[in-house]
């Protein structure tokens, strides 16, 4: 479908522009520029479109979106109805459907542009203007009639996942929790949203009790119970997520870690071993090996722990965690040269872009942001 010409847009938008409240009314040139912005994004210039959106005042961007998504389409539909009333024999059904499709197309493009703009803002308030704009258009999308809403569930669900990853990366737990709760109200039992909610609870547990080895000396029974409640809540979400989607390996991995902390080592080993032997992404298999190594240490099986840490290092050769663990095990065995060798290897691997998936573990599914965004783009653009 082609974009409206400037002339057609002028004729259609003039009545709507005359009575628009709240903000200074955009001119026709601004409306045309906003449509061009959407087309720019659609053509694949995601970065350029997002950067341009960031230069716009939020109120003006909202008003332009309202004009091109709602008022323009509504006015064209009114003209068709008037044509039908004046000339009953003229068929308008096909054109009405085209207008609905165009409205949906513009709506999704607008949502994508402002979401992408939000992802590029590093210093902002809790949610930021761009994300607030995007959230408003999600609400509008959900308010469409049933026949228009059907088929858009996956797009909206994946928008929730993209924003969840963004809020995790931006370390916004309060707003992340509200966002994920909202998503689960709409998509009950969704495995990836359950995974996100579990990650929030697990993070709260890890913050509540920093060093469990000092629990008896430092932490009160009330704090320990709070820690256990967070861990248990996370475990329930992970278990349900894995049950609803068997190949959601991160849920199984985190479920294994929860079991280790709560004392069910057999269940922990089973879950972690399942991930280690699966076709999970390398970062998850690496973490499974790290957690299995820690479990072997708890069970006083140093040889097994060494084997697990070596396996983890084979997956991510520059990672710090297994090197430090191997140094610690050498030190416990009174092998000072071995301990020093692993420490030196870790020092030698230090560089700006060093990779260790363990460092990102507390950020939940932030590591999935790029993949989720790629999927959202494809769905929004119909690719």
């Amino acid at each position: 479908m082609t974009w409206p010409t400037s002339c057609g847009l002028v004729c259609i938008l003039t009545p709507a522009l005359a009575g628009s409240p709240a903000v200074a009314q955009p001119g026709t040139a601004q409306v045309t520029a906003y449509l061009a912005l959407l087309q720019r994004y659609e053509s694949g210039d995601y970065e350029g479109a997002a950067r341009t959106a960031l230069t716009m005042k939020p109120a003006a961007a909202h008003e332009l979106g309202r004009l091109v998504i709602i008022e323009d389409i509504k006015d064209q539909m009114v003209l068709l109805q008037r044509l039908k009333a004046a000339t009953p024999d003229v068929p308008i059904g096909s054109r009405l459907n085209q207008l609905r499709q165009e409205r949906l197309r513009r709506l999704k493009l607008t949502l994508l542009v402002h979401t992408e703009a939000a992802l590029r803002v590093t210093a902002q308030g809790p949610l930021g203007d761009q994300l607030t704009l995007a959230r408003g258009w999600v609400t509008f999308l959900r308010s469409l009639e049933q026949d228009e809403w059907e088929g858009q569930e996956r797009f909206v669900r994946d928008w929730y996942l993209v924003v969840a990853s963004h809020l995790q990366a931006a370390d916004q737990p309060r707003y992340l929790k509200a966002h994920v709760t909202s998503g689960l109200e709409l998509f009950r039992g969704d495995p990836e949203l359950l995974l996100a909610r579990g990650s929030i609870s697990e993070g709260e547990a890890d913050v509540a009790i920093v060093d469990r080895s000092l629990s008896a000396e430092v932490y009160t029974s009330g704090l320990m119970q709070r820690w256990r409640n967070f861990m248990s809540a996370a475990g329930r979400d992970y278990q349900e997520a894995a049950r609803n989607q068997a190949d959601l390996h991160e849920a199984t991995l985190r479920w294994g870690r929860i079991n280790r902390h709560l004392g069910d080592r057999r269940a922990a080993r089973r879950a972690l071993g399942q991930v280690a032997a699966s076709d999970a992404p390398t970062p998850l298999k690496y973490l499974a090996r790290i957690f299995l190594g820690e479990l072997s240490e708890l069970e006083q099986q140093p040889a097994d722990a060494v084997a697990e840490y070596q396996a983890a290092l084979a997956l991510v050769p520059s990672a710090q965690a297994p090197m430090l663990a191997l140094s610690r095990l050498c030190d416990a065995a009174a092998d000072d040269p071995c301990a020093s060798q692993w420490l030196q290897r870790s020092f030698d691997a230090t560089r700006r872009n060093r990779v260790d998936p363990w460092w990102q573990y507390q950020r939940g599914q932030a590591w999935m942001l790029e993949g989720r965004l790629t999927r959202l783009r494809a769905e929004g653009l119909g690719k």
Side-chain angles (χ1 to χ4, degrees):
M1 183 180 297
T2 58
W3 292 89
T5 64
S6 298
C7 179
L9 197 59
V10 173
C11 298
I12 292 167
L13 286 177
T14 298
L17 290 170
S20 180
V23 297
Q25 189 61 60
T28 301
Q30 292 172 288
V31 172
T32 303
Y34 193 77
L35 284 169
L37 171 64
L38 301 186
Q39 190 173 29
R40 183 178 181 182
Y41 184 91
E42 189 176 39
S43 70
D45 185 5
Y46 311 130
E47 181 70 24
R51 292 296 176 188
T52 299
L54 287 171
T55 67
M56 303 171 65
K57 293 183 177 179
H62 176 267
E63 179 64 7
L64 285 166
R66 188 185 71 82
L67 289 173
V68 303
I69 295 169
I70 300 173
E71 297 300 333
D72 180 18
I73 302 298
K74 181 175 69 177
D75 288 349
Q76 292 190 60
M77 287 180 173
V78 168
L79 289 175
L80 282 176
Q81 295 294 350
R82 289 176 180 171
L83 176 62
K84 180 68 174 178
T87 314
D89 294 338
V90 174
I92 64 171
S94 176
R95 179 56 183 156
L96 283 173
N97 286 335
Q98 288 178 347
L99 286 172
R100 291 190 185 97
Q101 291 171 11
E102 178 66 7
R103 176 172 58 192
L104 183 60
R105 176 171 173 256
R106 295 182 186 183
L107 173 55
K108 292 165 77 172
L109 286 170
T110 300
L111 172 57
L112 284 167
V113 165
H114 291 293
T115 298
E116 296 243 16
L119 302 183
R120 287 162 173 79
V121 179
T122 55
Q124 61 178 4
L127 289 180
D129 295 329
Q130 296 296 327
L131 196 53
T132 300
L133 283 170
R135 188 184 297 274
W137 291 119
V138 168
T139 301
F140 179 75
L141 177 56
R142 290 170 53 186
S143 74
L144 295 178
E145 295 183 10
Q146 186 64 29
D147 60 338
E148 291 181 90
W149 164 247
E150 287 179 355
Q152 305 309 316
E153 293 93 336
R154 182 174 177 180
F155 175 71
V156 172
R157 175 257 192 184
D158 284 348
W159 178 83
Y160 272 98
L161 295 179
V162 165
V163 174
S165 285
H166 169 63
L167 292 174
Q168 287 171 322
D171 194 21
Q172 294 281 357
R174 175 183 173 187
Y175 298 94
L176 170 66
K177 184 181 292 187
H179 176 77
V180 171
T181 298
S182 173
L184 280 168
E185 288 173 356
L186 185 60
F187 303 102
R188 296 186 184 278
D190 181 82
E192 293 189 74
L193 287 170
L194 287 171
L195 173 62
R197 189 171 70 179
S199 299
I200 298 169
S201 298
E202 186 180 3
E204 289 174 320
D206 286 337
V207 169
I209 303 296
V210 178
D211 187 348
R212 290 183 64 239
S213 67
L214 301 175
S215 57
E217 295 82 5
V218 176
Y219 300 109
T220 66
S221 59
L223 279 174
M224 290 304 298
Q225 185 58 51
R226 185 165 177 261
W227 172 85
R228 182 171 289 275
N229 290 342
F230 281 138
M231 281 288 183
S232 298
R236 287 191 296 271
D237 280 337
Y238 295 149
Q239 192 172 27
E240 184 179 353
R243 183 167 52 243
N244 292 349
Q245 185 176 329
D247 64 349
L248 189 57
H249 300 295
E250 186 173 352
T252 303
L253 172 83
R254 289 176 176 269
W255 168 235
R257 182 176 187 258
I258 293 295
N259 276 298
R260 176 173 70 82
H261 280 309
L262 293 179
D264 191 344
R265 295 177 183 175
R266 180 177 298 180
R269 187 170 291 279
R270 183 168 58 248
L272 295 171
Q274 178 181 331
V275 176
S278 72
D279 61 352
T282 296
L284 299 183
K285 295 175 74 170
Y286 162 86
L287 288 167
R289 293 295 184 184
I290 290 291
F291 297 156
L292 284 167
E294 293 175 348
L295 185 56
S296 293
E297 285 194 74
L298 284 174
E299 295 174 342
Q300 298 183 348
Q301 298 172 349
D304 290 343
V306 167
E308 294 295 351
Y309 292 137
Q310 292 276 20
L313 199 58
L315 290 167
V316 186
S318 67
Q320 181 188 63
M323 293 183 189
L324 296 183
L326 288 164
S327 178
R328 183 179 64 247
L329 286 168
C330 290
D331 183 64
D335 188 343
D336 291 343
C338 173
S340 297
Q341 177 188 17
W342 281 114
L343 280 179
Q344 188 60 52
R345 281 190 60 175
S346 182
F347 293 149
D348 292 342
T350 301
R351 57 181 181 274
R352 186 174 183 179
N353 60 344
R354 188 177 188 180
V355 174
D356 189 337
W358 168 243
W359 297 341
Q360 301 301 318
Y361 185 82
Q362 291 296 343
R363 295 295 177 92
Q365 292 71 57
W367 69 281
M368 300 174 71
L369 177 56
E370 286 304 318
R372 286 174 167 178
L373 180 58
T374 297
R375 184 171 65 190
L376 185 70
R377 285 171 179 162
E379 291 165 356
L381 298 174
K383 294 183 178 179

